[in-house]
Amino acid sequence: MMAASASRVAVIGAGIAGASCARWLHDAGYAVQVFDKSRGVGGRLSTRRIDWTDAAGVSHQASFDHGAPGFQARSPAFAAFAARAHANGLLLPWQPRDPAGRAAADADTWWLPAPDMPALCRALLQDLPVQTQAPIDALHRDAAGWRLASAGATVAREFGAVVLAIPPAQAAALLQPLAPSWARQALALPMLPDWTLMGLASAAGDASDWQLAHSSDGVLASIIRNHGKPGRAPLAGMAHWVAHASADWSARHIETPAAVVQEALQQALARWFGQAQDWHYVTVHRWRYAVAPAGARSGTDHCWWDAQAGLGVCGDAWGGGGVEGAWGSARALAAAISGVDPA
Ligand SMILES: Cc1cc2nc3c(=O)[nH]c(=O)nc-3n(C[C@H](O)[C@H](O)[C@H](O)COP(=O)(O)OP(=O)(O)OC[C@H]3O[C@@H](n4cnc5c(N)ncnc54)[C@H](O)[C@@H]3O)c2cc1C
C-alpha cells in the first residue's frame, strides 16, 4: 500500500517553474505545498513597488517590472498556454516599438502578465497552499518521507517528493549533502547576472511612445519605458525607466557597491539620451542569477528526477533559458513525477 506521504509533494520556489509544476501536480491529484523565500510569488517575473513622496509631501506608489520585461512563446505548447492565459485575462500581448518606431529587434509578440509580472504565478497558485518568506536551507529524508528545514527548525514534513524549482546555485546548496553529483552539475550550469536601474524622471516634454531600446555602449543592454507598456499605470507627469546593464558589465561589477553602480548607470543613460534625466527617484537591483543563456541546458534532459529518492529539479537553466524554458522544464518534471504529460 502506498504511504499517505507518497502523494504529498513539496515544491520549493514559486517562480513560473515552481508555480506551473505545482499546478500540474495538483491537477493530477497530488497534495502540493509550495514554499518560497520571498515575500510574494513570481520569482524573476517580478514588479518592484516603491513609495515616493513628491515635493509637496504627497506620497505615491510607483512600480517597475525589474526582472523579465515580458516573454515570448515560440513552441506550439507554450504558445497555446500563453493564448489560454490571454483568453483568461492574465496576459496582454505586447509588440514593443523602438525609438525609431520599428518593432523592437525580434518581431515575435511578447506576453506581459497583467496587472503586474507576478500575476501569472499568483493565478497558477491561487487555490494551492503557498508559504512565502520560507527560505528552505536543508532537506532531510527519513522513514516518514522528506522534511524541510529553515534556520535549524522543521518547516514541514512527510512529503513523498520534493521539487526544487530554484536557480542552479541555490539548488546546489540544497543538493550538496543529498546528491553531490547533481550539485556539481547544477553549479556548472551557466547563469548571467544583470544590474538593473529603476527610476522615476520628469516626463515633461516627452511625447514619444517607444517602449524598448537596445544599447551596445558596453554598459547598457536595454532601456525600457515601463510606463509605455500595456496595462501599466504611470504616475502623472512621470516617466518610469528600467535599464538593464549588459551581462558582461554586470559580471565585472557584480561586487561593486550599489551606489557606484547606480551612478555609472545614470551616466550611461545620460550619454544614451544625450542629456541627463531629471530624476525624482532612482534605485538599482542586482540580479546575481538573472538569465540562463538561451540554449544552455543540462544535457538532453529538461529536468532531473530521481524516482527512488522522490527528488526533482526544474527551472529555466534546465529548460533552455527564459520563461518558456522554465515552463517547459516544469512540464517535463510534472510528467516524470505523475507519468502523464500535462500539456
Ligand atoms: C533582468 C531579467 C531579464 C529577463 N529577461 C527575460 C526575457 O526577456 N525573456 C524571458 O523569457 N526571460 C527573461 N528573464 C528570465 C526569466 O525571468 C526566468 O528565466 C524565469 O522567470 C525563471 O523562472 P524559474 O521559476 O525557473 O525561477 P525563478 O523565477 O528564479 O523562481 C525561483 C523562486 O525560488 C525562490 N527560492 C530560491 N531559493 C529558495 C529557497 N532556498 N527556499 C525557498 N525559495 C527559494 C525564489 O525566491 C524564487 O521566487 C529575465 C530575468 C531577469 C532577472
Side-chain angles (χ1 to χ4, degrees), residues 13 15-17 36-38 43-44 68-69 134 136 165-166 194 290-291 315-316 322-323:
I16 187 67
D36 199 289
K37 66 177 182 179
S38 300
R44 280 169 275 160
I136 305 303
I166 59 184
D194 187 318
V291 289
D316 59 344
V323 174

Side-chain angles (χ1 to χ4, degrees), residues 45-73:
L45 286 175
S46 52
T47 298
R48 168 83 63 91
R49 285 206 164 67
I50 58 118
D51 293 314
W52 169 70
T53 306
D54 65 21
V58 180
S59 62
H60 307 268
Q61 271 220 331
S63 56
F64 305 88
D65 301 333
H66 71 310
F71 57 85
Q72 291 166 303

Side-chain angles (χ1 to χ4, degrees), residues 272-313:
W272 190 85
F273 282 114
Q275 61 179 57
Q277 293 293 300
D278 177 15
W279 294 110
H280 293 267
Y281 173 93
V282 189
T283 190
V284 289
H285 179 82
R286 177 180 62 187
W287 294 100
R288 209 178 262 282
Y289 312 111
V291 289
R297 184 186 290 169
S298 54
T300 54
D301 298 335
H302 290 221
C303 66
W304 294 339
W305 172 235
D306 178 339
Q308 202 166 9
L311 183 60
V313 188

Side-chain angles (χ1 to χ4, degrees), residues 72 74 94-95 103-110:
Q72 291 166 303
R74 298 206 162 89
W94 179 34
Q95 267 166 331
D106 179 340
D108 281 359
T109 297
W110 289 59

Side-chain angles (χ1 to χ4, degrees), residues 26-238:
H26 169 84
D27 291 350
Y30 289 82
V32 178
Q33 225 175 313
V34 182
F35 302 85
D36 199 289
K37 66 177 182 179
S38 300
R39 268 185 301 172
V41 304
R44 280 169 275 160
L45 286 175
S46 52
T47 298
R48 168 83 63 91
R49 285 206 164 67
I50 58 118
D51 293 314
W52 169 70
T53 306
D54 65 21
V58 180
S59 62
H60 307 268
Q61 271 220 331
S63 56
F64 305 88
D65 301 333
H66 71 310
F71 57 85
Q72 291 166 303
R74 298 206 162 89
S75 69
F78 191 56
F81 166 80
R84 278 197 305 277
H86 172 47
N88 291 330
L90 293 170
L91 291 180
L92 297 173
W94 179 34
Q95 267 166 331
R97 283 182 306 283
D98 70 13
R102 295 176 302 235
D106 179 340
D108 281 359
T109 297
W110 289 59
W111 293 104
L112 197 57
D116 57 15
M117 296 306 283
L120 181 61
C121 294
R122 279 201 305 272
L124 287 165
L125 292 166
Q126 60 179 338
D127 52 350
L128 303 187
V130 179
Q131 208 171 315
T132 52
Q133 296 185 295
I136 305 303
D137 57 26
L139 301 171
H140 307 280
R141 191 166 162 75
D142 56 31
W146 286 104
R147 183 162 62 80
L148 278 49
S150 183
T154 295
V155 171
R157 58 174 81 238
E158 294 181 19
F159 294 101
V162 175
V163 165
L164 303 185
I166 59 184
Q170 284 141 339
L174 288 173
L175 291 169
Q176 183 57 41
L178 307 163
S181 81
W182 274 9
R184 268 196 309 279
Q185 290 175 62
L187 286 176
L189 293 171
M191 292 294 288
L192 304 176
D194 187 318
W195 269 110
T196 303
L197 175 144
M198 294 157 261
L200 281 179
S202 167
D206 176 16
S208 52
D209 68 347
W210 59 273
Q211 295 115 33
L212 173 61
H214 292 286
S215 167
S216 53
D217 65 355
V219 181
L220 297 171
S222 61
I223 300 112
I224 299 162
R225 292 174 87 246
N226 202 95
H227 56 295
K229 292 166 74 172
R232 271 48 186 168
L235 294 178
M238 288 289 166

